[in-house]
Amino acid sequence: MSYLEILQSHGLTQLQWVAIILAAFILGFSKSGIKGIGIVIILILAFVFGEKASTGILLPMLISADIVAVSYYNRHTQWRFIKKLIPSMIIGVLVGVWVGDIISETVFKRVMAIIIIASLGIMLFFEKQNTNSIPKNKAFSNSAGFLAGFTTMIGNLAGPISNIYFLAMRLPKNEFIGTGAWLFFIINVFKLPFHFFVWKTVTKESLVLNLTLIPAILIGFFLGAKLVKKISNVNYRKFIIIVTAIGGILMLFR
């Protein structure tokens, strides 16, 4: 089939095309550092393609945006945090692959929403204590890594978990973005073979659709990067807390 024939095979209406282009734009915007709005992308794509199929549509888009993000923010990456999280994230992904066809998605997302909101409550408590202490317990980083890996495999929902972890580590704005960019680039590439060969949610047809959406991702990223430069570190922390809370609430009532 030709390029156009493959696109037409998706059977998308004009409204659906507008929706997924908007999702791609928001994805680029999010990867530039405007964190916490990823739940909107997931909602849009799930509405157009269905729950599980949307994870395969989104993953190559995430990797494309990750490549731009790591190129832009590479010098700010704090590798020590990535080294702490990656092993437990990989275990979380593998468990997510195994239970992906078993667990009730509705129950899972509601449990995750409760965890996210509860974690934010804890974060807000520590924010009000005006302390600069950083959690150094291995159980904290391992739990955050496992939950992030598991949720990113099940429904690309790891953003709120990683946001909470990096907030707890008190990373400045650019280090927050650069470290998260590399972390998710690595883990998203690791997830790709499972979507190809196990879940079969990534196909030649879906990759052609992804290729079409790259310009919207790039526009969103560079517009978002300009906005991030204007946000102070203090206001960035407040912004992340607010949008992560909204994402948790949306997930709860999805």
Side-chain angles (χ1 to χ4, degrees), residues 8-101:
Q8 290 170 353
S9 71
H10 289 282
L12 299 174
T13 65
Q14 288 184 343
L15 180 60
Q16 288 173 325
W17 270 110
V18 171
I20 63 173
I21 290 170
L22 176 62
F25 173 84
I26 295 171
L27 173 59
F29 204 66
S30 173
K31 288 291 184 177
S32 73
I34 310 297
K35 303 287 185 179
I37 56 176
I39 187 67
V40 177
I41 305 160
I42 293 165
L43 290 169
I44 292 172
L45 294 182
F47 176 76
V48 175
F49 298 103
E51 299 289 352
K52 190 169 183 179
S54 67
T55 63
I57 296 290
L58 179 55
L59 183 58
M61 293 166 61
L62 287 169
I63 293 172
S64 300
D66 287 332
I67 291 170
V68 181
V70 298
S71 301
Y72 194 86
Y73 288 107
N74 180 57
R75 66 187 182 278
H76 301 292
T77 305
Q78 300 296 306
W79 285 98
R80 66 185 185 276
F81 295 114
I82 295 175
K83 290 175 183 177
K84 283 182 181 179
L85 292 174
I86 282 291
S88 52
M89 282 188 77
I90 288 174
I91 294 171
V93 168
L94 294 174
V95 173
V97 172
W98 180 56
V99 302
D101 289 327

Side-chain angles (χ1 to χ4, degrees), residues 91-113:
I91 294 171
V93 168
L94 294 174
V95 173
V97 172
W98 180 56
V99 302
D101 289 327
I102 302 170
I103 193 170
S104 165
E105 198 164 332
T106 301
V107 172
F108 167 77
K109 289 193 173 103
R110 288 182 178 169
V111 169
M112 283 311 306

Side-chain angles (χ1 to χ4, degrees), residues 1 5 23 28 33 40 61 101 107 120 132 136 147 154 215:
M1 286 194 294
E5 287 173 334
V40 177
M61 293 166 61
D101 289 327
V107 172
L120 274 168
N132 290 320
K136 295 180 180 179
L147 282 174
I154 293 293

Side-chain angles (χ1 to χ4, degrees), residues 169-186:
M169 296 299 105
R170 299 195 171 273
L171 288 181
K173 176 181 65 179
N174 287 338
E175 283 76 3
F176 188 117
I177 301 167
T179 305
W182 263 110
L183 178 68
F184 282 103
F185 173 66
I186 293 167

Side-chain angles (χ1 to χ4, degrees), residues 130-206:
N130 293 319
T131 176
N132 290 320
S133 62
I134 295 172
K136 295 180 180 179
N137 193 322
K138 276 191 174 182
F140 178 71
S141 59
N142 288 341
S143 298
F146 177 83
L147 282 174
F150 183 68
T151 54
T152 194
M153 189 65 213
I154 293 293
N156 296 303
L157 290 166
I161 302 295
S162 64
N163 289 349
I164 291 165
Y165 178 78
F166 290 138
L167 285 172
M169 296 299 105
R170 299 195 171 273
L171 288 181
K173 176 181 65 179
N174 287 338
E175 283 76 3
F176 188 117
I177 301 167
T179 305
W182 263 110
L183 178 68
F184 282 103
F185 173 66
I186 293 167
I187 214 68
N188 284 332
V189 170
F190 177 73
K191 287 159 50 182
L192 194 57
F194 299 108
H195 279 276
F196 261 118
F197 302 114
V198 181
W199 287 3
K200 302 186 188 303
T201 49
V202 175
T203 64
K204 180 182 74 174
E205 290 75 20
S206 69

